[in-house]
Amino acid sequence: MSRAMTWWLSLVPLFFVLGSFASPPSWGSSAIPFSPGFDISAVLSLAISLPSHSWEFGTAAEALLELYDAPYSVYGEKPFPIPRLSPSSSSPVYSTALDYAKQKIVIGTPPNGLSDGDGAVGDPASLGVAALLLGVSDEKYKVAVEAEIEYLLEGAPRWSNEAISHRAAYAELWADFMYMAPPFMAYYGAVTSNATVLRAAVDQCHLYHQVLLTNTTSYSANPPSMHPPSAGGLWVHIVGPENADPGLWSTGNAWAAAGMMRVLATVLKAPRATFKAGSALSSAWRHTAIADLTRMISDILDAAIRLQPQAQAEGYGGGGKRKGASEELPR
Ligand SMILES: *[C@@H]1O[C@H](CO)[C@@H](O)[C@H](O)[C@H]1NC(C)=O
Ligand SMILES: *[C@@H]1O[C@H](CO)[C@@H](O)[C@H](O)[C@H]1NC(C)=O
């Protein structure tokens, strides 16, 4: 995964390439009822037109689902059992997100089971939620999803603490993984009432947290690998042998928090039968998972808010800055 995602948000939209899609709604429409304080339809246009990588396709498909089919996303009131939605614009249950995802998903062999992952384990998995929804009426997506889950659980390299590697050729943990794979695993678990996979999704949040949580010291902070206590709760970008990056990449922290948010929402909405007495997941497990996820997410958000004045003073968020040091939270 590259860091290209961030500059979608800061680019001035020059032109829109929407293909077969109608103009995205602007705020005030039912898809976007609130004004976020910026032109969200311009952001959406770029999110549809710019992607060329599996993780971008998956992220855009998720954004479309949450906007256009909000009741069916995990943030909806009752997303399970999953509905029958159609990628066909002539259908009464047409879904823009599935139309988009169907055009982007290329079924192959895991880790490239849903799209070419360019060496990543996690990135093609980001299309898994859309693939599961397509699988309701098209068996081939269901088969591809099963293979992708099987690969995540059994095939991918693991870190020494059993965290699933973000890279396919060697074990390496990237904060980005958190938005790409665990939400899909959790969703699969809830959709198929597979407690093992739902639990694995929550376990992966803990395992990534264990490795990527930044080291802090009140003694002699030595960035980028050692940070002062004010950075406590934030995650480093990458730990591993090839691409190690001990910096506190702000977008990486957002990937981690937003990924865990989707896992949390999935645990909250999963059919209650999954947590019955005698099931592999008790309601005590559910209670603990909710508390733990909430704490790990809050820790990231609290630290980001705490460090924001310093970040602004150093030019972060000043508009137009794309990436690099300016995108790094201060140490
Ligand atoms: C849960 O899913 C995994 C991975 O597909 C599979 O190996 C396992 O048999 C499933 N368990 C149940 C109870 O369906
Ligand atoms: C924290 O420090 C330990 C010991 O030096 C190191 O093994 C670990 O990778 C560090 N963790 C992070 C996230 O930098």
Side-chain angles (χ1 to χ4, degrees), residues 145-147 149-150 153-154 188 192-197:
V145 158
E146 301 277 341
I149 285 287
E150 195 73 31
L153 294 178
E154 308 290 342
Y188 176 92
T192 62
S193 299
N194 187 316
T196 311
V197 182

PDB file of all heavy atoms in Angstrom, residues 145-147 149-150 153-154 188 192-197, ligand 1:
ATOM      1  N   VAL A 145     -14.347 -15.607  -1.661  1.00  0.00           N
ATOM      2  CA  VAL A 145     -14.258 -15.125  -0.282  1.00  0.00           C
ATOM      3  C   VAL A 145     -13.756 -16.231   0.645  1.00  0.00           C
ATOM      4  O   VAL A 145     -12.884 -16.007   1.489  1.00  0.00           O
ATOM      5  CB  VAL A 145     -15.640 -14.597   0.183  1.00  0.00           C
ATOM      6  CG1 VAL A 145     -15.734 -14.598   1.700  1.00  0.00           C
ATOM      7  CG2 VAL A 145     -15.889 -13.202  -0.367  1.00  0.00           C
ATOM      8  N   GLU A 146     -14.301 -17.430   0.483  1.00  0.00           N
ATOM      9  CA  GLU A 146     -13.868 -18.573   1.315  1.00  0.00           C
ATOM     10  C   GLU A 146     -12.365 -18.788   1.161  1.00  0.00           C
ATOM     11  O   GLU A 146     -11.653 -19.017   2.140  1.00  0.00           O
ATOM     12  CB  GLU A 146     -14.584 -19.866   0.880  1.00  0.00           C
ATOM     13  CG  GLU A 146     -16.103 -19.822   0.968  1.00  0.00           C
ATOM     14  CD  GLU A 146     -16.614 -20.119   2.362  1.00  0.00           C
ATOM     15  OE1 GLU A 146     -15.847 -20.696   3.148  1.00  0.00           O
ATOM     16  OE2 GLU A 146     -17.773 -19.752   2.649  1.00  0.00           O
ATOM     17  N   ALA A 147     -11.890 -18.722  -0.085  1.00  0.00           N
ATOM     18  CA  ALA A 147     -10.467 -18.958  -0.342  1.00  0.00           C
ATOM     19  C   ALA A 147      -9.616 -17.863   0.298  1.00  0.00           C
ATOM     20  O   ALA A 147      -8.547 -18.131   0.843  1.00  0.00           O
ATOM     21  CB  ALA A 147     -10.219 -19.027  -1.849  1.00  0.00           C
ATOM     22  N   ILE A 149     -10.385 -16.007   2.956  1.00  0.00           N
ATOM     23  CA  ILE A 149     -10.413 -16.205   4.421  1.00  0.00           C
ATOM     24  C   ILE A 149      -9.475 -17.345   4.818  1.00  0.00           C
ATOM     25  O   ILE A 149      -8.692 -17.240   5.761  1.00  0.00           O
ATOM     26  CB  ILE A 149     -11.863 -16.500   4.902  1.00  0.00           C
ATOM     27  CG1 ILE A 149     -12.700 -15.230   4.905  1.00  0.00           C
ATOM     28  CG2 ILE A 149     -11.860 -17.145   6.285  1.00  0.00           C
ATOM     29  CD1 ILE A 149     -12.366 -14.248   6.031  1.00  0.00           C
ATOM     30  N   GLU A 150      -9.563 -18.421   4.074  1.00  0.00           N
ATOM     31  CA  GLU A 150      -8.712 -19.588   4.330  1.00  0.00           C
ATOM     32  C   GLU A 150      -7.229 -19.186   4.268  1.00  0.00           C
ATOM     33  O   GLU A 150      -6.432 -19.564   5.122  1.00  0.00           O
ATOM     34  CB  GLU A 150      -9.029 -20.646   3.254  1.00  0.00           C
ATOM     35  CG  GLU A 150      -8.530 -22.042   3.555  1.00  0.00           C
ATOM     36  CD  GLU A 150      -9.354 -22.721   4.640  1.00  0.00           C
ATOM     37  OE1 GLU A 150     -10.561 -22.428   4.751  1.00  0.00           O
ATOM     38  OE2 GLU A 150      -8.766 -23.524   5.381  1.00  0.00           O
ATOM     39  N   LEU A 153      -6.193 -17.045   7.280  1.00  0.00           N
ATOM     40  CA  LEU A 153      -6.085 -17.808   8.529  1.00  0.00           C
ATOM     41  C   LEU A 153      -5.005 -18.886   8.483  1.00  0.00           C
ATOM     42  O   LEU A 153      -4.390 -19.184   9.497  1.00  0.00           O
ATOM     43  CB  LEU A 153      -7.434 -18.453   8.879  1.00  0.00           C
ATOM     44  CG  LEU A 153      -8.563 -17.475   9.224  1.00  0.00           C
ATOM     45  CD1 LEU A 153      -9.846 -18.240   9.501  1.00  0.00           C
ATOM     46  CD2 LEU A 153      -8.182 -16.631  10.440  1.00  0.00           C
ATOM     47  N   GLU A 154      -4.806 -19.469   7.312  1.00  0.00           N
ATOM     48  CA  GLU A 154      -3.913 -20.634   7.239  1.00  0.00           C
ATOM     49  C   GLU A 154      -2.654 -20.404   6.399  1.00  0.00           C
ATOM     50  O   GLU A 154      -1.641 -21.056   6.631  1.00  0.00           O
ATOM     51  CB  GLU A 154      -4.663 -21.850   6.638  1.00  0.00           C
ATOM     52  CG  GLU A 154      -5.986 -22.176   7.301  1.00  0.00           C
ATOM     53  CD  GLU A 154      -5.804 -22.745   8.701  1.00  0.00           C
ATOM     54  OE1 GLU A 154      -4.688 -23.200   9.019  1.00  0.00           O
ATOM     55  OE2 GLU A 154      -6.788 -22.718   9.472  1.00  0.00           O
ATOM     56  N   TYR A 188     -17.168 -11.547   7.815  1.00  0.00           N
ATOM     57  CA  TYR A 188     -17.346 -12.947   7.402  1.00  0.00           C
ATOM     58  C   TYR A 188     -17.856 -13.777   8.580  1.00  0.00           C
ATOM     59  O   TYR A 188     -18.782 -14.579   8.447  1.00  0.00           O
ATOM     60  CB  TYR A 188     -16.024 -13.505   6.872  1.00  0.00           C
ATOM     61  CG  TYR A 188     -16.086 -14.984   6.514  1.00  0.00           C
ATOM     62  CD1 TYR A 188     -16.395 -15.390   5.218  1.00  0.00           C
ATOM     63  CD2 TYR A 188     -15.835 -15.966   7.475  1.00  0.00           C
ATOM     64  CE1 TYR A 188     -16.459 -16.730   4.892  1.00  0.00           C
ATOM     65  CE2 TYR A 188     -15.901 -17.315   7.160  1.00  0.00           C
ATOM     66  CZ  TYR A 188     -16.205 -17.694   5.863  1.00  0.00           C
ATOM     67  OH  TYR A 188     -16.287 -19.026   5.547  1.00  0.00           O
ATOM     68  N   THR A 192     -21.531 -15.580   8.454  1.00  0.00           N
ATOM     69  CA  THR A 192     -21.615 -17.046   8.374  1.00  0.00           C
ATOM     70  C   THR A 192     -21.766 -17.677   9.760  1.00  0.00           C
ATOM     71  O   THR A 192     -21.704 -18.890   9.886  1.00  0.00           O
ATOM     72  CB  THR A 192     -20.346 -17.627   7.705  1.00  0.00           C
ATOM     73  OG1 THR A 192     -19.200 -17.297   8.528  1.00  0.00           O
ATOM     74  CG2 THR A 192     -20.130 -17.051   6.314  1.00  0.00           C
ATOM     75  N   SER A 193     -21.974 -16.862  10.781  1.00  0.00           N
ATOM     76  CA  SER A 193     -22.038 -17.348  12.170  1.00  0.00           C
ATOM     77  C   SER A 193     -20.840 -18.218  12.495  1.00  0.00           C
ATOM     78  O   SER A 193     -20.962 -19.260  13.145  1.00  0.00           O
ATOM     79  CB  SER A 193     -23.327 -18.135  12.426  1.00  0.00           C
ATOM     80  OG  SER A 193     -24.428 -17.322  12.220  1.00  0.00           O
ATOM     81  N   ASN A 194     -19.673 -17.783  12.025  1.00  0.00           N
ATOM     82  CA  ASN A 194     -18.446 -18.530  12.275  1.00  0.00           C
ATOM     83  C   ASN A 194     -17.674 -17.822  13.399  1.00  0.00           C
ATOM     84  O   ASN A 194     -16.961 -16.845  13.181  1.00  0.00           O
ATOM     85  CB  ASN A 194     -17.617 -18.618  10.991  1.00  0.00           C
ATOM     86  CG  ASN A 194     -16.418 -19.519  11.140  1.00  0.00           C
ATOM     87  OD1 ASN A 194     -15.718 -19.467  12.146  1.00  0.00           O
ATOM     88  ND2 ASN A 194     -16.169 -20.352  10.132  1.00  0.00           N
ATOM     89  N   ALA A 195     -17.856 -18.353  14.609  1.00  0.00           N
ATOM     90  CA  ALA A 195     -17.274 -17.721  15.796  1.00  0.00           C
ATOM     91  C   ALA A 195     -15.747 -17.695  15.728  1.00  0.00           C
ATOM     92  O   ALA A 195     -15.115 -16.753  16.210  1.00  0.00           O
ATOM     93  CB  ALA A 195     -17.738 -18.455  17.051  1.00  0.00           C
ATOM     94  N   THR A 196     -15.163 -18.715  15.122  1.00  0.00           N
ATOM     95  CA  THR A 196     -13.696 -18.786  15.032  1.00  0.00           C
ATOM     96  C   THR A 196     -13.143 -17.579  14.280  1.00  0.00           C
ATOM     97  O   THR A 196     -12.141 -16.979  14.676  1.00  0.00           O
ATOM     98  CB  THR A 196     -13.275 -20.073  14.280  1.00  0.00           C
ATOM     99  OG1 THR A 196     -13.985 -21.168  14.845  1.00  0.00           O
ATOM    100  CG2 THR A 196     -11.792 -20.312  14.368  1.00  0.00           C
ATOM    101  N   VAL A 197     -13.799 -17.250  13.175  1.00  0.00           N
ATOM    102  CA  VAL A 197     -13.286 -16.155  12.342  1.00  0.00           C
ATOM    103  C   VAL A 197     -13.590 -14.796  12.984  1.00  0.00           C
ATOM    104  O   VAL A 197     -12.757 -13.887  12.943  1.00  0.00           O
ATOM    105  CB  VAL A 197     -13.844 -16.255  10.900  1.00  0.00           C
ATOM    106  CG1 VAL A 197     -13.263 -15.150  10.030  1.00  0.00           C
ATOM    107  CG2 VAL A 197     -13.512 -17.617  10.301  1.00  0.00           C
TER     108      VAL A 197
HETATM  109  C1  LIG B   1     -15.049 -21.211  10.058  1.00  0.00           C
HETATM  110  O1  LIG B   1     -14.331 -20.773   8.931  1.00  0.00           O
HETATM  111  C2  LIG B   1     -13.083 -21.420   8.754  1.00  0.00           C
HETATM  112  C3  LIG B   1     -12.397 -20.760   7.574  1.00  0.00           C
HETATM  113  O2  LIG B   1     -13.197 -20.808   6.437  1.00  0.00           O
HETATM  114  C4  LIG B   1     -13.312 -22.905   8.550  1.00  0.00           C
HETATM  115  O3  LIG B   1     -12.072 -23.559   8.428  1.00  0.00           O
HETATM  116  C5  LIG B   1     -14.086 -23.467   9.724  1.00  0.00           C
HETATM  117  O4  LIG B   1     -14.403 -24.817   9.496  1.00  0.00           O
HETATM  118  C6  LIG B   1     -15.354 -22.681   9.947  1.00  0.00           C
HETATM  119  N1  LIG B   1     -16.004 -23.147  11.162  1.00  0.00           N
HETATM  120  C7  LIG B   1     -17.300 -23.407  11.208  1.00  0.00           C
HETATM  121  C8  LIG B   1     -17.821 -23.856  12.518  1.00  0.00           C
HETATM  122  O5  LIG B   1     -18.027 -23.276  10.231  1.00  0.00           O
END
